[in-house]
mmCIF file of all heavy atoms in Angstrom:
data_model
loop_
_atom_site.group_PDB
_atom_site.id
_atom_site.type_symbol
_atom_site.label_atom_id
_atom_site.label_comp_id
_atom_site.label_asym_id
_atom_site.label_seq_id
_atom_site.Cartn_x
_atom_site.Cartn_y
_atom_site.Cartn_z
ATOM 1 N N PRO A 27 6.400 7.176 -7.321
ATOM 2 C CA PRO A 27 7.715 6.655 -6.933
ATOM 3 C C PRO A 27 7.687 5.249 -6.290
ATOM 4 O O PRO A 27 8.121 4.911 -5.214
ATOM 5 C CB PRO A 27 8.203 7.686 -5.862
ATOM 6 C CG PRO A 27 6.933 8.207 -5.281
ATOM 7 C CD PRO A 27 5.933 8.201 -6.428
ATOM 8 N N ALA A 28 6.930 4.414 -6.971
ATOM 9 C CA ALA A 28 6.695 2.993 -6.632
ATOM 10 C C ALA A 28 6.735 2.203 -7.939
ATOM 11 O O ALA A 28 6.297 2.709 -8.965
ATOM 12 C CB ALA A 28 5.408 2.786 -5.918
ATOM 13 N N THR A 29 7.200 0.964 -7.874
ATOM 14 C CA THR A 29 7.227 0.160 -9.080
ATOM 15 C C THR A 29 5.916 -0.591 -9.290
ATOM 16 O O THR A 29 5.037 -0.501 -8.428
ATOM 17 C CB THR A 29 8.390 -0.913 -9.007
ATOM 18 O OG1 THR A 29 8.156 -1.678 -7.825
ATOM 19 C CG2 THR A 29 9.735 -0.100 -8.870
ATOM 20 N N TRP A 30 5.768 -1.279 -10.409
ATOM 21 C CA TRP A 30 4.587 -1.935 -10.787
ATOM 22 C C TRP A 30 4.794 -3.444 -10.829
ATOM 23 O O TRP A 30 5.556 -3.947 -11.594
ATOM 24 C CB TRP A 30 4.081 -1.413 -12.099
ATOM 25 C CG TRP A 30 2.759 -1.915 -12.586
ATOM 26 C CD1 TRP A 30 2.572 -2.719 -13.767
ATOM 27 C CD2 TRP A 30 1.499 -1.802 -12.020
ATOM 28 N NE1 TRP A 30 1.231 -3.062 -13.885
ATOM 29 C CE2 TRP A 30 0.550 -2.434 -12.844
ATOM 30 C CE3 TRP A 30 1.063 -1.063 -10.868
ATOM 31 C CZ2 TRP A 30 -0.792 -2.471 -12.495
ATOM 32 C CZ3 TRP A 30 -0.372 -1.145 -10.568
ATOM 33 C CH2 TRP A 30 -1.225 -1.799 -11.403
ATOM 34 N N ASN A 31 4.049 -4.119 -9.985
ATOM 35 C CA ASN A 31 4.003 -5.643 -10.056
ATOM 36 C C ASN A 31 5.358 -6.335 -9.724
ATOM 37 O O ASN A 31 5.613 -7.414 -10.103
ATOM 38 C CB ASN A 31 3.613 -6.124 -11.429
ATOM 39 C CG ASN A 31 2.097 -5.940 -11.619
ATOM 40 O OD1 ASN A 31 1.344 -5.890 -10.659
ATOM 41 N ND2 ASN A 31 1.725 -5.785 -12.889
ATOM 42 N N ASP A 32 6.275 -5.598 -9.008
ATOM 43 C CA ASP A 32 7.478 -6.270 -8.540
ATOM 44 C C ASP A 32 7.182 -7.335 -7.550
ATOM 45 O O ASP A 32 6.120 -7.317 -6.831
ATOM 46 C CB ASP A 32 8.476 -5.270 -7.984
ATOM 47 C CG ASP A 32 9.378 -4.660 -9.109
ATOM 48 O OD1 ASP A 32 9.348 -5.218 -10.223
ATOM 49 O OD2 ASP A 32 10.100 -3.740 -8.838
ATOM 50 N N PRO A 33 8.065 -8.327 -7.388
ATOM 51 C CA PRO A 33 7.770 -9.376 -6.368
ATOM 52 C C PRO A 33 7.678 -8.822 -4.922
ATOM 53 O O PRO A 33 8.277 -7.891 -4.610
ATOM 54 C CB PRO A 33 9.033 -10.296 -6.513
ATOM 55 C CG PRO A 33 9.642 -9.964 -7.873
ATOM 56 C CD PRO A 33 9.237 -8.595 -8.088
ATOM 57 N N PHE A 34 6.821 -9.588 -4.204
ATOM 58 C CA PHE A 34 6.646 -9.176 -2.753
ATOM 59 C C PHE A 34 7.982 -9.453 -2.023
ATOM 60 O O PHE A 34 8.722 -10.279 -2.400
ATOM 61 C CB PHE A 34 5.529 -10.087 -2.201
ATOM 62 C CG PHE A 34 5.152 -9.642 -0.782
ATOM 63 C CD1 PHE A 34 4.678 -8.480 -0.552
ATOM 64 C CD2 PHE A 34 5.258 -10.607 0.190
ATOM 65 C CE1 PHE A 34 4.284 -8.153 0.828
ATOM 66 C CE2 PHE A 34 4.887 -10.287 1.533
ATOM 67 C CZ PHE A 34 4.400 -9.016 1.766
ATOM 68 N N VAL A 35 8.266 -8.567 -1.058
ATOM 69 C CA VAL A 35 9.578 -8.633 -0.379
ATOM 70 C C VAL A 35 9.756 -10.090 0.181
ATOM 71 O O VAL A 35 8.840 -10.779 0.660
ATOM 72 C CB VAL A 35 9.501 -7.665 0.816
ATOM 73 C CG1 VAL A 35 8.449 -7.991 1.886
ATOM 74 C CG2 VAL A 35 10.944 -7.523 1.436
ATOM 75 N N SER A 36 11.000 -10.533 -0.040
ATOM 76 C CA SER A 36 11.272 -11.922 0.408
ATOM 77 C C SER A 36 11.297 -12.022 1.912
ATOM 78 O O SER A 36 11.357 -11.048 2.651
ATOM 79 C CB SER A 36 12.689 -12.247 -0.163
ATOM 80 O OG SER A 36 13.659 -11.443 0.302
ATOM 81 N N GLY A 37 11.251 -13.264 2.332
ATOM 82 C CA GLY A 37 11.254 -13.585 3.786
ATOM 83 C C GLY A 37 10.194 -14.428 4.236
ATOM 84 O O GLY A 37 9.322 -14.838 3.353
ATOM 85 N N LYS A 38 9.996 -14.713 5.480
ATOM 86 C CA LYS A 38 8.944 -15.490 5.986
ATOM 87 C C LYS A 38 8.056 -14.737 7.083
ATOM 88 O O LYS A 38 7.091 -15.312 7.502
ATOM 89 C CB LYS A 38 9.497 -16.843 6.675
ATOM 90 C CG LYS A 38 10.249 -17.657 5.696
ATOM 91 C CD LYS A 38 10.661 -18.918 6.392
ATOM 92 C CE LYS A 38 11.368 -19.932 5.384
ATOM 93 N NZ LYS A 38 11.725 -21.189 6.045
ATOM 94 N N ASP A 39 8.468 -13.505 7.318
ATOM 95 C CA ASP A 39 7.679 -12.672 8.308
ATOM 96 C C ASP A 39 6.346 -12.258 7.743
ATOM 97 O O ASP A 39 6.232 -12.150 6.482
ATOM 98 C CB ASP A 39 8.496 -11.501 8.840
ATOM 99 C CG ASP A 39 8.874 -10.604 7.660
ATOM 100 O OD1 ASP A 39 9.225 -11.097 6.558
ATOM 101 O OD2 ASP A 39 8.787 -9.354 7.819
ATOM 102 N N ARG A 40 5.440 -12.129 8.574
ATOM 103 C CA ARG A 40 4.083 -11.649 8.211
ATOM 104 C C ARG A 40 3.970 -10.208 8.350
ATOM 105 O O ARG A 40 4.549 -9.594 9.326
ATOM 106 C CB ARG A 40 2.986 -12.302 9.060
ATOM 107 C CG ARG A 40 2.783 -13.784 8.741
ATOM 108 C CD ARG A 40 1.672 -14.401 9.596
ATOM 109 N NE ARG A 40 1.473 -15.817 9.273
ATOM 110 C CZ ARG A 40 0.486 -16.227 8.418
ATOM 111 N NH1 ARG A 40 -0.268 -15.317 7.792
ATOM 112 N NH2 ARG A 40 0.330 -17.518 8.151
ATOM 113 N N LYS A 41 3.335 -9.542 7.395
ATOM 114 C CA LYS A 41 3.330 -8.047 7.348
ATOM 115 C C LYS A 41 1.882 -7.581 7.866
ATOM 116 O O LYS A 41 0.844 -8.133 7.499
ATOM 117 C CB LYS A 41 3.499 -7.488 5.960
ATOM 118 C CG LYS A 41 4.833 -7.860 5.332
ATOM 119 C CD LYS A 41 5.972 -7.305 6.136
ATOM 120 C CE LYS A 41 7.333 -7.618 5.519
ATOM 121 N NZ LYS A 41 8.458 -7.095 6.346
ATOM 122 N N PRO A 42 1.852 -6.463 8.635
ATOM 123 C CA PRO A 42 0.561 -5.906 9.144
ATOM 124 C C PRO A 42 -0.187 -5.318 7.899
ATOM 125 O O PRO A 42 0.467 -4.937 6.846
ATOM 126 C CB PRO A 42 0.987 -4.804 10.092
ATOM 127 C CG PRO A 42 2.423 -4.406 9.666
ATOM 128 C CD PRO A 42 2.989 -5.703 9.153
ATOM 129 N N LEU A 43 -1.480 -5.295 8.021
ATOM 130 C CA LEU A 43 -2.332 -4.875 6.921
ATOM 131 C C LEU A 43 -3.184 -3.634 7.281
ATOM 132 O O LEU A 43 -3.665 -3.546 8.417
ATOM 133 C CB LEU A 43 -3.284 -6.067 6.601
ATOM 134 C CG LEU A 43 -4.427 -5.840 5.593
ATOM 135 C CD1 LEU A 43 -3.872 -5.544 4.191
ATOM 136 C CD2 LEU A 43 -5.401 -7.008 5.550
ATOM 137 N N ILE A 44 -3.311 -2.709 6.315
ATOM 138 C CA ILE A 44 -4.237 -1.612 6.365
ATOM 139 C C ILE A 44 -5.135 -1.592 5.283
ATOM 140 O O ILE A 44 -4.779 -1.742 4.069
ATOM 141 C CB ILE A 44 -3.368 -0.255 6.412
ATOM 142 C CG1 ILE A 44 -2.382 -0.178 7.545
ATOM 143 C CG2 ILE A 44 -4.370 0.919 6.481
ATOM 144 C CD1 ILE A 44 -1.443 1.007 7.370
ATOM 145 N N ILE A 45 -6.438 -1.496 5.559
ATOM 146 C CA ILE A 45 -7.511 -1.278 4.515
ATOM 147 C C ILE A 45 -7.739 0.215 4.507
ATOM 148 O O ILE A 45 -8.093 0.817 5.478
ATOM 149 C CB ILE A 45 -8.812 -2.140 4.869
ATOM 150 C CG1 ILE A 45 -8.431 -3.601 5.041
ATOM 151 C CG2 ILE A 45 -9.798 -1.820 3.795
ATOM 152 C CD1 ILE A 45 -7.944 -4.259 3.715
ATOM 153 N N PHE A 46 -7.716 0.752 3.279
ATOM 154 C CA PHE A 46 -7.926 2.225 3.078
ATOM 155 C C PHE A 46 -9.118 2.550 2.282
ATOM 156 O O PHE A 46 -9.332 1.953 1.234
ATOM 157 C CB PHE A 46 -6.634 2.870 2.489
ATOM 158 C CG PHE A 46 -6.697 4.363 2.664
ATOM 159 C CD1 PHE A 46 -5.964 5.017 3.649
ATOM 160 C CD2 PHE A 46 -7.450 5.110 1.706
ATOM 161 C CE1 PHE A 46 -6.054 6.413 3.795
ATOM 162 C CE2 PHE A 46 -7.469 6.536 1.933
ATOM 163 C CZ PHE A 46 -6.779 7.132 2.944
ATOM 164 N N SER A 47 -9.953 3.456 2.789
ATOM 165 C CA SER A 47 -11.202 3.838 2.161
ATOM 166 C C SER A 47 -11.203 5.274 1.677
ATOM 167 O O SER A 47 -10.933 6.217 2.420
ATOM 168 C CB SER A 47 -12.402 3.669 3.126
ATOM 169 O OG SER A 47 -13.565 4.122 2.597
ATOM 170 N N HIS A 48 -11.406 5.539 0.386
ATOM 171 C CA HIS A 48 -11.246 6.814 -0.148
ATOM 172 C C HIS A 48 -12.500 7.773 0.157
ATOM 173 O O HIS A 48 -13.531 7.226 0.601
ATOM 174 C CB HIS A 48 -11.079 6.833 -1.716
ATOM 175 C CG HIS A 48 -12.245 6.190 -2.527
ATOM 176 N ND1 HIS A 48 -13.379 6.932 -2.648
ATOM 177 C CD2 HIS A 48 -12.354 5.038 -3.119
ATOM 178 C CE1 HIS A 48 -14.276 6.147 -3.420
ATOM 179 N NE2 HIS A 48 -13.648 4.984 -3.674
ATOM 180 N N GLY A 49 -12.442 9.018 -0.117
ATOM 181 C CA GLY A 49 -13.431 9.965 0.069
ATOM 182 C C GLY A 49 -14.355 10.073 -1.104
ATOM 183 O O GLY A 49 -14.227 9.486 -2.157
ATOM 184 N N LEU A 50 -15.379 10.829 -0.895
ATOM 185 C CA LEU A 50 -16.480 11.058 -1.925
ATOM 186 C C LEU A 50 -15.827 11.714 -3.095
ATOM 187 O O LEU A 50 -15.157 12.734 -2.997
ATOM 188 C CB LEU A 50 -17.565 11.987 -1.297
ATOM 189 C CG LEU A 50 -18.720 12.284 -2.308
ATOM 190 C CD1 LEU A 50 -19.519 11.001 -2.581
ATOM 191 C CD2 LEU A 50 -19.715 13.316 -1.601
ATOM 192 N N GLY A 51 -16.037 11.103 -4.242
ATOM 193 C CA GLY A 51 -15.424 11.595 -5.482
ATOM 194 C C GLY A 51 -14.021 11.209 -5.750
ATOM 195 O O GLY A 51 -13.384 11.593 -6.666
ATOM 196 N N GLY A 52 -13.468 10.259 -4.923
ATOM 197 C CA GLY A 52 -12.165 9.767 -4.988
ATOM 198 C C GLY A 52 -12.152 8.487 -5.831
ATOM 199 O O GLY A 52 -13.122 8.122 -6.480
ATOM 200 N N PHE A 53 -11.033 7.790 -5.727
ATOM 201 C CA PHE A 53 -10.819 6.442 -6.350
ATOM 202 C C PHE A 53 -9.656 5.808 -5.707
ATOM 203 O O PHE A 53 -9.045 6.332 -4.825
ATOM 204 C CB PHE A 53 -10.790 6.513 -7.880
ATOM 205 C CG PHE A 53 -9.677 7.355 -8.451
ATOM 206 C CD1 PHE A 53 -8.512 6.766 -8.938
ATOM 207 C CD2 PHE A 53 -9.848 8.718 -8.503
ATOM 208 C CE1 PHE A 53 -7.513 7.586 -9.438
ATOM 209 C CE2 PHE A 53 -8.895 9.619 -9.048
ATOM 210 C CZ PHE A 53 -7.637 8.994 -9.522
ATOM 211 N N ARG A 54 -9.331 4.593 -6.196
ATOM 212 C CA ARG A 54 -8.392 3.773 -5.441
ATOM 213 C C ARG A 54 -6.932 4.265 -5.351
ATOM 214 O O ARG A 54 -6.170 3.878 -4.488
ATOM 215 C CB ARG A 54 -8.386 2.385 -5.963
ATOM 216 C CG ARG A 54 -7.720 2.189 -7.318
ATOM 217 C CD ARG A 54 -7.960 0.768 -7.890
ATOM 218 N NE ARG A 54 -7.367 0.564 -9.153
ATOM 219 C CZ ARG A 54 -7.887 0.984 -10.347
ATOM 220 N NH1 ARG A 54 -9.019 1.658 -10.297
ATOM 221 N NH2 ARG A 54 -7.288 0.684 -11.502
ATOM 222 N N THR A 55 -6.583 5.221 -6.249
ATOM 223 C CA THR A 55 -5.205 5.680 -6.255
ATOM 224 C C THR A 55 -4.929 7.085 -5.733
ATOM 225 O O THR A 55 -3.829 7.624 -5.810
ATOM 226 C CB THR A 55 -4.552 5.603 -7.732
ATOM 227 O OG1 THR A 55 -5.092 6.625 -8.512
ATOM 228 C CG2 THR A 55 -4.840 4.209 -8.295
ATOM 229 N N ILE A 56 -6.061 7.754 -5.384
ATOM 230 C CA ILE A 56 -6.012 9.155 -5.027
ATOM 231 C C ILE A 56 -5.241 9.466 -3.706
ATOM 232 O O ILE A 56 -4.998 10.656 -3.399
ATOM 233 C CB ILE A 56 -7.378 9.795 -4.997
ATOM 234 C CG1 ILE A 56 -7.424 11.352 -5.134
ATOM 235 C CG2 ILE A 56 -8.181 9.361 -3.799
ATOM 236 C CD1 ILE A 56 -6.936 11.816 -6.497
ATOM 237 N N TYR A 57 -4.928 8.446 -2.953
ATOM 238 C CA TYR A 57 -4.165 8.604 -1.685
ATOM 239 C C TYR A 57 -2.811 7.838 -1.876
ATOM 240 O O TYR A 57 -2.393 7.386 -0.824
ATOM 241 C CB TYR A 57 -5.018 8.146 -0.541
ATOM 242 C CG TYR A 57 -6.269 8.844 -0.395
ATOM 243 C CD1 TYR A 57 -7.479 8.347 -1.035
ATOM 244 C CD2 TYR A 57 -6.335 10.035 0.352
ATOM 245 C CE1 TYR A 57 -8.626 9.052 -0.876
ATOM 246 C CE2 TYR A 57 -7.558 10.726 0.443
ATOM 247 C CZ TYR A 57 -8.711 10.252 -0.255
ATOM 248 O OH TYR A 57 -9.894 10.901 -0.076
ATOM 249 N N SER A 58 -2.311 7.768 -3.034
ATOM 250 C CA SER A 58 -1.080 6.926 -3.223
ATOM 251 C C SER A 58 0.101 7.488 -2.352
ATOM 252 O O SER A 58 0.883 6.724 -1.924
ATOM 253 C CB SER A 58 -0.674 6.991 -4.760
ATOM 254 O OG SER A 58 -1.628 6.335 -5.499
ATOM 255 N N SER A 59 0.269 8.796 -2.321
ATOM 256 C CA SER A 59 1.424 9.313 -1.574
ATOM 257 C C SER A 59 1.419 8.820 -0.134
ATOM 258 O O SER A 59 2.409 8.365 0.430
ATOM 259 C CB SER A 59 1.341 10.862 -1.484
ATOM 260 O OG SER A 59 0.119 11.349 -1.084
ATOM 261 N N LEU A 60 0.258 8.782 0.548
ATOM 262 C CA LEU A 60 0.113 8.287 1.917
ATOM 263 C C LEU A 60 0.245 6.725 1.945
ATOM 264 O O LEU A 60 0.964 6.232 2.745
ATOM 265 C CB LEU A 60 -1.238 8.617 2.489
ATOM 266 C CG LEU A 60 -1.561 8.167 3.855
ATOM 267 C CD1 LEU A 60 -0.648 8.711 4.923
ATOM 268 C CD2 LEU A 60 -2.969 8.582 4.259
ATOM 269 N N CYS A 61 -0.398 6.061 1.031
ATOM 270 C CA CYS A 61 -0.354 4.559 1.054
ATOM 271 C C CYS A 61 1.076 4.074 0.756
ATOM 272 O O CYS A 61 1.554 3.138 1.384
ATOM 273 C CB CYS A 61 -1.311 4.008 0.018
ATOM 274 S SG CYS A 61 -3.044 4.341 0.366
ATOM 275 N N MET A 62 1.776 4.761 -0.182
ATOM 276 C CA MET A 62 3.163 4.374 -0.467
ATOM 277 C C MET A 62 4.032 4.539 0.714
ATOM 278 O O MET A 62 4.938 3.718 1.031
ATOM 279 C CB MET A 62 3.674 5.160 -1.624
ATOM 280 C CG MET A 62 3.048 4.773 -2.987
ATOM 281 S SD MET A 62 3.846 5.624 -4.383
ATOM 282 C CE MET A 62 3.566 7.291 -3.967
ATOM 283 N N GLU A 63 3.869 5.633 1.467
ATOM 284 C CA GLU A 63 4.705 5.937 2.659
ATOM 285 C C GLU A 63 4.507 4.806 3.678
ATOM 286 O O GLU A 63 5.399 4.306 4.275
ATOM 287 C CB GLU A 63 4.297 7.309 3.232
ATOM 288 C CG GLU A 63 5.007 8.448 2.598
ATOM 289 C CD GLU A 63 6.406 8.478 3.066
ATOM 290 O OE1 GLU A 63 7.305 7.748 2.486
ATOM 291 O OE2 GLU A 63 6.801 9.290 3.935
ATOM 292 N N LEU A 64 3.223 4.442 3.889
ATOM 293 C CA LEU A 64 2.926 3.337 4.897
ATOM 294 C C LEU A 64 3.524 2.056 4.507
ATOM 295 O O LEU A 64 4.077 1.296 5.274
ATOM 296 C CB LEU A 64 1.426 3.315 5.172
ATOM 297 C CG LEU A 64 0.840 4.535 5.769
ATOM 298 C CD1 LEU A 64 -0.727 4.399 5.781
ATOM 299 C CD2 LEU A 64 1.269 4.765 7.136
ATOM 300 N N ALA A 65 3.448 1.747 3.225
ATOM 301 C CA ALA A 65 4.005 0.508 2.627
ATOM 302 C C ALA A 65 5.540 0.555 2.752
ATOM 303 O O ALA A 65 6.169 -0.504 2.968
ATOM 304 C CB ALA A 65 3.645 0.291 1.267
ATOM 305 N N SER A 66 6.175 1.759 2.686
ATOM 306 C CA SER A 66 7.651 1.821 2.801
ATOM 307 C C SER A 66 8.121 1.493 4.270
ATOM 308 O O SER A 66 9.302 1.270 4.479
ATOM 309 C CB SER A 66 8.082 3.200 2.394
ATOM 310 O OG SER A 66 7.932 4.170 3.410
ATOM 311 N N TYR A 67 7.121 1.481 5.185
ATOM 312 C CA TYR A 67 7.458 1.072 6.535
ATOM 313 C C TYR A 67 7.066 -0.323 6.871
ATOM 314 O O TYR A 67 7.002 -0.792 8.007
ATOM 315 C CB TYR A 67 6.886 2.032 7.595
ATOM 316 C CG TYR A 67 7.634 3.334 7.605
ATOM 317 C CD1 TYR A 67 7.249 4.385 6.842
ATOM 318 C CD2 TYR A 67 8.844 3.536 8.311
ATOM 319 C CE1 TYR A 67 7.919 5.653 6.811
ATOM 320 C CE2 TYR A 67 9.527 4.717 8.286
ATOM 321 C CZ TYR A 67 9.079 5.760 7.543
ATOM 322 O OH TYR A 67 9.796 6.936 7.572
ATOM 323 N N GLY A 68 6.755 -1.071 5.818
ATOM 324 C CA GLY A 68 6.532 -2.584 5.980
ATOM 325 C C GLY A 68 5.025 -2.985 6.061
ATOM 326 O O GLY A 68 4.760 -4.169 6.278
ATOM 327 N N PHE A 69 4.116 -2.096 5.798
ATOM 328 C CA PHE A 69 2.677 -2.392 5.758
ATOM 329 C C PHE A 69 2.193 -2.900 4.356
ATOM 330 O O PHE A 69 2.705 -2.377 3.338
ATOM 331 C CB PHE A 69 1.792 -1.217 6.222
ATOM 332 C CG PHE A 69 1.895 -0.842 7.685
ATOM 333 C CD1 PHE A 69 2.906 -0.037 8.109
ATOM 334 C CD2 PHE A 69 1.103 -1.370 8.596
ATOM 335 C CE1 PHE A 69 3.068 0.310 9.443
ATOM 336 C CE2 PHE A 69 1.129 -1.053 9.893
ATOM 337 C CZ PHE A 69 2.144 -0.186 10.322
ATOM 338 N N LEU A 70 1.230 -3.773 4.380
ATOM 339 C CA LEU A 70 0.436 -4.011 3.157
ATOM 340 C C LEU A 70 -0.713 -3.014 3.216
ATOM 341 O O LEU A 70 -1.347 -2.956 4.307
ATOM 342 C CB LEU A 70 -0.115 -5.423 3.161
ATOM 343 C CG LEU A 70 0.843 -6.532 2.624
ATOM 344 C CD1 LEU A 70 0.256 -7.876 3.162
ATOM 345 C CD2 LEU A 70 0.931 -6.544 1.145
ATOM 346 N N VAL A 71 -0.998 -2.233 2.177
ATOM 347 C CA VAL A 71 -2.058 -1.332 2.224
ATOM 348 C C VAL A 71 -2.982 -1.647 0.979
ATOM 349 O O VAL A 71 -2.539 -1.551 -0.121
ATOM 350 C CB VAL A 71 -1.581 0.188 2.064
ATOM 351 C CG1 VAL A 71 -2.769 1.142 2.241
ATOM 352 C CG2 VAL A 71 -0.489 0.409 3.165
ATOM 353 N N ALA A 72 -4.241 -1.983 1.301
ATOM 354 C CA ALA A 72 -5.197 -2.250 0.227
ATOM 355 C C ALA A 72 -6.126 -1.047 0.149
ATOM 356 O O ALA A 72 -6.968 -0.811 1.059
ATOM 357 C CB ALA A 72 -6.000 -3.473 0.534
#
């Protein structure tokens, strides 16, 4: 329930950043439900 490569939200404000590390046997998208939720509250999540 997220789009692909859409433009970054407009404005001049700076967004807080979260770096996320997956578990053993995971990969970069296996926590998408959580990462998307945090991004929906204004965070950048890598």
Side-chain angles (χ1 to χ4, degrees):
T29 59
W30 182 245
N31 287 336
D32 270 350
F34 188 60
V35 65
S36 59
K38 295 184 178 180
D39 60 320
R40 290 180 175 268
K41 300 298 184 184
L43 172 65
I44 300 171
I45 302 296
F46 193 96
S47 173
H48 66 72
L50 182 63
F53 55 103
R54 67 187 184 282
T55 73
I56 199 68
Y57 301 90
S58 293
S59 53
L60 176 61
C61 294
M62 290 186 299
E63 276 286 81
L64 295 171
S66 78
Y67 286 95
F69 289 86
L70 278 162
V71 185

